[in-house]
Amino acid sequence: MFYIAPRSKIRDLSDIIILILKTTLLIYHPTPIQEIQSAIVDDAGLRLLIKREDLNHPSVSGNKWWKLKYNLEEAQHQNKKILTFGGAFSNHIYATASAANELRIPAIGIVRGEKSLPLNPTLSFAEKMGMQLHYISREAYRDKAKEPLINSLREKFGDFYLIPEGGSNTLAVKGVIEFTKQLNINFDYLCCPVGTGGTLAGLIQGLHGEKQLIGFSILKNGEFLVDEVKRYGGDFPNWRLITEYHYGGYAKATTQLHEFIKHFWDDHQIPLEYIYTGKMFSGIFDLIAKRFFKRGSTILAIHTGGIQSA
């Protein structure tokens, strides 16, 4: 089912077989593994592969599909509407709105900050998908995981199934563990961007201590994510979190990062975005140049989607 494909042979989404899962009925498109051809990679004696999870769904793409899968199933089982949190440009809000629309589950998005018109493309899409948006102050948003705020939201909206910001919880980790079964190719290092820690924790558990896993924090001062990953079950010793490639923090970027993303597209015709995947690949290429990876190794990077924010 999965193969190494040069970019010229990557099939259009319309040609990819569509699978309908019997659990959530959320559409999933099988995705290829593509090899990145680069003189920098060749000079370091490495292979660089990318798992194109950005192609797994038009709008619930990348790791969001796997993190939402069992949460959506549980919401259906409880016959409840969904409530979740996110910022104005949140990939999670975007993906959850689309998934809830596809499955006909009512959804509420609690958005950090004041409403600003016209709505940006992320929030406009969420509303188009039928998500009810409710705006709260940044100060109140800091208490998004605390009972007083959750209780006040239940008083306002009635009962709901809560999905935390970024979608990371035990059911999200369960979905990512399942995803690792698709990585049926030899590799030495597995790389992914890290925002809340759930995806990295799922990968760690799914690989059972094998291979080397590297997470690239997209947050400034992201060292606290080590504890978050451990909290979600990242108990194996074969992983590390790298925090040097945040480019100013969440949803921030520099001219250097934007130029890297542009050159990556020019060279490989693979879209990246500046919040997650651009930062990860910039970090990977910098570490390759610094001879961080053992010569003769194969690096597998996961494209976690989120192209709506590009």
Side-chain angles (χ1 to χ4, degrees):
M1 182 182 295
F2 303 101
Y3 60 97
I4 303 296
R7 62 174 183 262
S8 61
K9 293 185 179 179
I10 294 290
R11 294 171 295 181
D12 293 335
L13 284 178
S14 59
D15 295 326
I16 295 177
I17 298 173
I18 295 177
L19 298 181
I20 306 296
L21 299 186
K22 294 181 179 179
T23 52
T24 64
L25 300 180
L26 187 64
I27 294 173
Y28 179 86
H29 301 259
T31 62
I33 295 174
Q34 181 176 352
E35 184 158 9
I36 302 297
Q37 303 292 342
S38 168
I40 294 175
V41 176
D42 292 342
D43 290 344
L46 302 169
R47 274 185 98 194
L48 177 57
L49 310 176
I50 176 172
K51 178 69 165 126
R52 294 293 306 275
E53 282 301 287
D54 56 311
L55 302 177
N56 66 16
H57 191 283
S59 50
V60 192
S61 69
N63 61 334
K64 298 303 182 188
W65 196 96
W66 296 98
K67 292 173 77 174
L68 287 170
K69 176 184 174 182
Y70 288 108
N71 278 290
L72 294 167
E73 184 180 78
E74 184 61 24
Q76 288 180 316
H77 176 72
Q78 295 183 21
N79 194 28
K80 292 181 179 179
K81 56 179 170 281
I82 291 168
L83 183 140
T84 195
F85 295 85
F89 296 90
S90 168
N91 287 331
H92 173 66
I93 288 286
Y94 187 98
T96 303
S98 178
N101 176 267
E102 187 171 317
L103 300 177
R104 294 181 172 84
I105 303 174
I108 302 161
I110 307 302
V111 182
R112 180 179 63 245
E114 296 181 358
K115 183 176 183 179
S116 178
L117 296 176
L119 295 180
N120 68 42
T122 299
L123 298 181
S124 178
F125 175 84
E127 277 202 345
K128 182 179 179 181
M129 291 295 103
M131 175 175 275
Q132 180 181 352
L133 300 180
H134 177 70
Y135 301 82
I136 62 175
S137 69
R138 293 178 181 276
E139 182 180 3
Y141 192 87
R142 297 189 189 101
D143 296 330
K144 59 187 175 295
K146 296 181 179 180
E147 283 192 18
L149 177 59
I150 300 302
N151 289 338
S152 70
L153 292 172
R154 291 193 191 281
E155 290 178 4
K156 182 176 182 61
F157 296 108
D159 199 13
F160 52 75
Y161 179 80
L162 177 65
I163 300 178
E165 181 183 42
S168 288
N169 57 14
T170 55
L171 289 179
V173 171
K174 178 182 177 181
V176 177
I177 292 172
E178 183 178 296
F179 164 70
T180 60
K181 296 181 176 65
Q182 297 201 27
L183 305 179
N184 53 351
I185 186 172
N186 290 327
F187 60 89
D188 302 288
Y189 299 92
L190 182 62
C191 299
C192 74
V194 181
T196 54
T199 297
L200 181 57
L203 295 173
I204 293 167
Q205 289 192 52
L207 293 179
H208 300 289
E210 299 178 356
K211 315 298 183 181
Q212 294 294 312
L213 287 92
I214 302 174
F216 290 83
S217 170
I218 56 91
L219 305 178
K220 188 177 182 179
N221 302 319
E223 291 80 8
F224 75 94
L225 288 167
V226 171
D227 292 333
E228 290 297 297
V229 173
K230 290 179 179 179
R231 182 167 70 88
Y232 289 126
D235 296 328
F236 293 96
N238 60 321
W239 65 277
R240 64 182 295 176
L241 182 75
I242 293 179
T243 60
E244 293 90 337
Y245 301 99
H246 56 76
Y247 289 94
Y250 179 76
K252 294 184 179 180
T254 64
T255 300
Q256 178 187 359
L257 179 60
H258 285 302
E259 288 178 350
F260 174 84
I261 291 170
K262 179 182 182 301
H263 290 315
F264 195 87
W265 169 259
D266 291 341
D267 293 341
H268 310 293
Q269 285 72 62
I270 297 175
L272 303 178
E273 42 70 47
Y274 67 89
I275 298 178
Y276 291 95
T277 53
K279 293 177 179 180
M280 175 186 68
F281 272 100
S282 174
I284 290 172
F285 271 83
D286 189 55
L287 292 178
I288 289 174
K290 293 176 177 177
R291 299 300 190 262
F292 172 89
F293 300 100
K294 184 178 179 181
R295 192 173 186 86
S297 298
T298 297
I299 305 163
L300 177 59
I302 300 174
H303 195 312
T304 52
I307 298 305
Q308 66 91 14
S309 66

